[in-house]
Amino acid sequence: MTDFQTKQIRELRMRGVGYRAIASVVGLSRDVVRNYCKSHSLYGYATEFTMNMKEQMQQGKACLCCGKDIKQPNTGRKRKFCSDKCRREWWAAHPDVVQKKETAFYKKACIYCGKPFTVYGNKNRKYCSYECYVHDRFWRAEEGRETYVSPARCEEVNYE
Ligand SMILES: [Zn+2]
Ligand SMILES: [Zn+2]
């Protein structure tokens, strides 16, 4: 059991969520959850009839982290967490999911100086830096591609 799981069990239990629903959210067996609650005096007011908490979370009705109700905005992206704090905690407890997300990072080589760089999201980026972009775009003819751009110089510019 991780710290995050025990915290989730505690918070969901305080909200009157039943053992089975908690178990499905934190990914433990119902017995483990029940034993934990008993040994920590977390009886609360169990409402076993609570709609499966996991379902509520998947539907965006309850915070993925603490199970609190979420008010969805009428427009824009669906919220998964009740607060920034919960979002940070949940992501910190799920590094495996973060790793999957990192496929959004692209490793590229600058077409001007050849230096490798990593770009997040925009896989169409061609240059490691704004400087390289300007050189390639506007000074190419004059430079005849012979001007040496030190890779160290590229590094100084953090162009997003
Ligand atoms: Zn929350
Ligand atoms: Zn470059």
Side-chain angles (χ1 to χ4, degrees), residues 63 66 82 86:
C63 173
C66 71
C82 70
C86 277

Side-chain angles (χ1 to χ4, degrees), residues 25-82:
V25 169
V26 298
L28 295 166
S29 83
R30 190 184 168 204
D31 287 343
V32 170
V33 172
R34 190 180 45 213
N35 289 340
Y36 177 85
C37 289
K38 285 202 169 149
S39 61
H40 290 79
S41 313
L42 294 169
Y43 293 104
Y45 297 96
T47 48
E48 290 281 349
F49 55 86
T50 310
M51 180 187 166
N52 190 309
M53 185 53 73
K54 203 174 179 183
E55 245 166 65
Q56 290 190 29
M57 287 172 167
Q58 279 160 355
Q59 291 170 6
K61 289 178 185 161
C63 173
L64 265 184
C65 180
C66 71
K68 264 184 207 140
D69 296 337
I70 297 180
K71 287 215 164 43
Q72 291 294 343
N74 294 327
T75 53
R77 278 178 61 188
K78 245 188 158 187
R79 296 177 59 188
K80 293 192 182 108
F81 304 96
C82 70

Side-chain angles (χ1 to χ4, degrees), residues 101-126:
K101 265 197 136 188
E102 271 172 10
T103 49
F105 281 98
Y106 301 96
K107 281 204 166 57
K108 314 266 292 181
C110 175
I111 67 164
Y112 184 72
C113 73
K115 183 185 176 310
F117 64 97
T118 323
V119 60
Y120 178 74
N122 176 15
K123 63 177 165 194
N124 296 321
R125 218 177 107 198
K126 299 185 184 79

Side-chain angles (χ1 to χ4, degrees), residues 110 113 128-129 132 154:
C110 175
C113 73
C128 70
S129 63
C132 281
C154 284

